[in-house]
Amino acid sequence: MARTAMVVLFGLGAQAALAADVSIEGALTEELREALTGGSLLVEQSKAEAAPSPQELVSSAQADYQRLLAVLYDRGYFGGVITIKLDGREAAQVPPVSPPQNVQRAVISVDPGPQFRFGQARIAPVAPGTELPEEFASGQTASLGAMRDATSAGIDGWRDAGHAKARLARQDIIARHPDRTINADLTLAPGPRLRFGPLTVQGNTDVRTDRIIEIAGLPSGQTYSPQELERAATRLRRTGTFRSVAMIEAETAGPDQTLPITVQLTEQPPRRFGFGAELSSLEGLTLSTFWLHRNLLGGAERLRIEGEIKGIGGESGGEDYRLAARFERPATFNEDTNFYTLAEIEQLDEVAFFSRQATIEAGIERIASDNRRYRFGLGLRRGQTRDAFGENTYTLFLVPLGVTFDYRDRALNATSGYYANAEITPFLAIDGAANGVRSYADLRAYRTFGDTRPITLAVRGQLGSVAGPGLSSAPADFLFYSGGGGTVRGQPYQALGVDLGGGNIVGGRSFVGLSAEVRVKTTGALGFVGFVDAGYIGSGEFPDGSGDWHSGAGVGIRYDTGIGPIRLDVAVPTSGPEADSNFQVYIGIGQAF
């Protein structure tokens, strides 16, 4: 039995360029050759532009011995031989202080030797329920990566059970060259089970310490949990008040087996201003802007004031205006519940109706996880409307409820996952209308195929309903229309409603929207999209087939940027009352859905 001590050193080399040729030789598999190529500093330098000095080349070559040996060890080759020659001279024998004048050729020769497998693969003790990697088992390829992963899984298992200071206490690794096996015996030291100690705050200047502790919601006194630690950091990050959040565990346990935690913060500038624009050939130009204060009262409260003008130069009625202010206070009632208030005034000058509304609302938002949110509010709306049924003034008491599930990989350019948003708003008519319920749901799903030039299939379904009041007594701005960028591209904006005859059209009490896109990513930042949309409007409370459908289809170009793709879509109507209309053009940032 041969006992071999294995030490792997990982060197970091500065990026440089190499004027000489670099080659890797040896009887290597394609996968191993690619791994060695990726691990070599000399190869990395050969791909750069500026030529390094000979001294830099010698340093990189000498570092490559250990780097490439680590690559071999990580793939189960524990008897490999590596030679690196610079113009025929072994790099290990070149004094770094006396390098050659220049280097024309670097040759890396690798004889990997036989691949070893685990004879014995043992790690103990492990916490109940710990899942060790399948690669760390007798008969599997003996790689350092498998040993590292097994160690990490074992330590994480103990940390999940409250043993925050679990560590690797001993490792016995024996190479048996005659039978090409590695016996690995890893011993863990779980340490005591700890509880969260006090949370100490560092780095804050404007946000009060007591509010930071409330927002983090770290359960002091309870059993240590890395998931709770990450949740506390997430709560602080999602306020938007902090540029960076780091939860730092104390090196040693405190009294009574508690673990003190320090949160190191860097605050964002308190104020932010932004604007946006979207252009449609029919709906015209939309301009929006906002002003945000991230720490209004010193407790990470947010105040956002935003304004929007739509329909500038368009052919979809007149111009629409909206001005809104929203105040949010995080960690109200508990660490995962935010309180909000909002005030909004809006004017809609549409083809089929005109309305002005003023709304005030207050409520809570429960953040169940990074992907799930629930909303409850109470509001009051005063509105004036004018449509084919005449003029109306109403006052409504609102109870808006909502839920959002967002499991997309990216919000502005999703390639996988799904998104679901549902809203239901019971309303009590104080005057000018009838009692009822308005509901709306938006469902989206994404699936990507391929890697080199991925193709993403995106589908969307929308469903809306106004139940209770009749068509003539329902608030005109609660009714649904179809057509335009948010529903059916290619169709004129709000082209589909309920036809009363004589050229009079009003919104429907039921709505269905269906959309599908095929997104093709080409080389670089460019991509192409083909899409079809369809919409349904009915006079009944729910879609019963008695209403009308229309559809549109088109193609688009996407140019990916750091914040989302720039979108250009061209669409034409394919069915419905406006099927002979001209094509429509839509420009914006982010995918259509």
Side-chain angles (χ1 to χ4, degrees):
M1 176 187 295
R3 191 178 188 88
T4 303
M6 293 171 288
V7 181
V8 181
L9 301 177
F10 294 91
L12 297 176
Q15 290 187 350
L18 183 64
D21 292 330
V22 178
S23 61
I24 297 180
E25 300 178 351
L28 308 170
T29 65
E30 186 63 28
E31 186 271 339
L32 182 57
R33 185 180 298 276
E34 290 180 1
L36 292 168
T37 299
S40 168
L41 283 178
L42 284 173
V43 173
E44 181 181 342
Q45 289 177 334
S46 70
K47 299 177 181 179
E49 296 180 0
S53 67
Q55 186 174 17
E56 291 174 320
L57 290 175
V58 172
S59 297
S60 296
Q62 292 178 346
D64 265 359
Y65 287 104
Q66 297 296 341
R67 291 175 65 92
L68 299 181
L69 186 63
V71 173
L72 292 178
Y73 282 179
D74 202 36
R75 283 154 179 79
Y77 298 97
F78 293 92
V81 177
I82 300 171
T83 62
I84 303 175
K85 293 189 176 181
L86 304 177
D87 289 336
R89 187 179 180 185
E90 190 67 37
Q93 300 174 359
V94 178
V97 296
S98 180
Q101 294 297 317
N102 57 68
V103 176
Q104 298 296 323
R105 180 170 172 77
V107 178
I108 302 171
S109 298
V110 180
D111 178 6
Q115 191 175 47
F116 284 59
R117 296 189 175 276
F118 284 118
Q120 173 184 286
R122 176 182 176 274
I123 181 170
V126 294
T130 301
E131 294 186 8
L132 297 174
E134 295 180 358
E135 295 77 13
F136 187 69
S138 178
Q140 297 289 333
T141 300
S143 70
L144 289 184
M147 289 184 252
R148 285 195 299 266
D149 291 345
T151 302
S152 296
I155 292 174
D156 288 345
W158 283 116
R159 283 173 58 83
D160 290 342
H163 299 259
K165 296 305 176 183
R167 60 183 179 87
L168 177 65
R170 191 181 70 182
Q171 53 181 334
D172 294 322
I173 303 173
I174 301 173
R176 296 175 55 90
H177 286 265
D179 52 9
R180 302 174 183 176
T181 60
I182 293 288
N183 291 334
D185 189 356
L186 309 176
T187 302
L188 300 178
R193 196 172 190 222
L194 302 179
R195 294 177 292 110
F196 281 118
L199 179 64
T200 301
V201 181
Q202 294 181 355
N204 57 313
T205 57
D206 295 326
V207 185
R208 300 192 309 273
T209 297
D210 62 325
R211 283 293 293 147
I212 292 172
I213 294 174
E214 287 180 16
I215 294 168
L218 194 69
S220 297
Q222 295 185 17
T223 302
Y224 169 88
S225 166
Q227 291 79 20
E228 285 292 345
L229 200 64
E230 179 57 33
R231 277 194 281 268
T234 298
R235 293 181 188 116
L236 292 168
R237 293 188 187 104
R238 74 187 177 208
T239 65
T241 305
F242 306 103
R243 179 180 290 117
S244 65
V245 177
M247 308 296 289
I248 304 170
E249 302 175 12
E251 290 294 329
T252 57
D256 301 324
Q257 301 299 320
T258 60
L259 183 65
I261 304 293
T262 298
V263 56
Q264 181 68 48
L265 303 167
T266 303
E267 294 178 356
Q268 294 266 30
R271 297 169 184 83
R272 182 184 175 193
F273 171 79
F275 63 92
E278 187 166 346
L279 180 65
S280 166
S281 59
L282 181 67
E283 299 164 40
L285 177 65
T286 297
L287 298 177
S288 60
T289 185
F290 73 88
W291 177 87
L292 173 68
H293 199 299
R294 296 186 174 98
N295 186 34
L296 186 66
L297 304 176
E301 302 90 354
R302 294 165 63 90
L303 175 64
R304 180 184 174 102
I305 300 174
E306 58 187 19
E308 183 180 67
I309 304 175
K310 298 175 63 176
I312 302 174
E315 301 176 9
S316 56
E319 295 176 354
D320 302 335
Y321 303 91
R322 178 177 174 271
L323 179 64
R326 182 183 176 98
F327 171 83
E328 293 184 14
R329 184 182 188 272
T332 303
F333 308 117
N334 61 53
E335 62 273 10
D336 289 318
T337 302
N338 297 345
F339 170 78
Y340 73 89
T341 61
L342 66 85
E344 178 184 81
I345 56 175
E346 185 177 28
Q347 174 179 296
L348 301 175
D349 189 357
E350 309 293 2
V351 174
F353 74 95
F354 176 89
S355 73
R356 290 194 183 101
Q357 312 103 32
T359 304
I360 57 173
E361 185 180 313
I364 59 173
E365 181 177 43
R366 171 70 177 176
I367 304 170
S369 71
D370 291 341
N371 310 106
R372 294 181 289 116
R373 298 190 176 210
Y374 304 89
R375 300 176 297 279
F376 168 79
L378 300 173
L380 192 67
R381 172 178 288 191
R382 179 71 172 175
Q384 296 177 330
T385 64
R386 183 178 66 248
D387 61 7
F389 292 113
E391 297 185 3
N392 185 35
T393 300
Y394 65 83
T395 304
L396 300 178
F397 178 73
L398 309 173
V399 186
L401 308 170
V403 57
T404 300
F405 287 6
D406 192 348
Y407 287 87
R408 296 172 293 182
D409 55 347
R410 287 173 291 179
L412 291 178
N413 191 17
T415 59
S416 64
Y418 69 91
Y419 170 90
N421 179 66
E423 300 172 355
I424 180 169
T425 305
F427 54 89
L428 175 64
I430 298 175
D431 65 58
N435 302 333
V437 178
R438 188 184 195 271
S439 56
Y440 172 77
D442 184 357
L443 310 174
R444 311 174 191 181
Y446 309 87
R447 179 81 180 271
T448 296
F449 305 88
D451 297 317
T452 305
R453 293 191 176 182
I455 298 176
T456 299
L457 175 62
V459 294
R460 180 187 192 185
Q462 300 177 78
L463 182 66
S465 170
V466 176
L471 197 62
S472 61
S473 58
D477 48 335
F478 275 30
L479 299 176
F480 297 96
Y481 295 84
S482 181
T487 52
V488 179
R489 287 162 289 182
Q491 293 285 350
Y493 179 66
Q494 294 188 353
L496 187 62
V498 176
D499 191 350
L500 301 179
N504 295 317
I505 295 177
V506 297
R509 292 195 296 163
S510 56
F511 161 66
V512 177
L514 301 173
S515 297
E517 288 192 349
V518 177
R519 304 168 183 171
V520 181
K521 184 72 163 41
T522 61
T523 57
L526 199 61
F528 299 93
V529 173
F531 58 86
V532 292
D533 299 332
Y536 166 92
I537 295 293
S539 60
E541 295 180 352
F542 303 101
D544 57 7
S546 62
D548 295 320
W549 286 87
H550 67 168
S551 61
V555 295
I557 298 175
R558 304 290 186 266
Y559 184 83
D560 204 6
T561 67
I563 60 174
I566 297 175
R567 179 179 82 252
L568 170 63
D569 288 338
V570 179
V572 296
T574 55
S575 70
E578 304 287 341
D580 57 348
S581 298
N582 296 327
F583 66 89
Q584 310 294 338
V585 179
Y586 307 89
I587 301 173
I589 295 178
Q591 297 286 1
F593 62 88

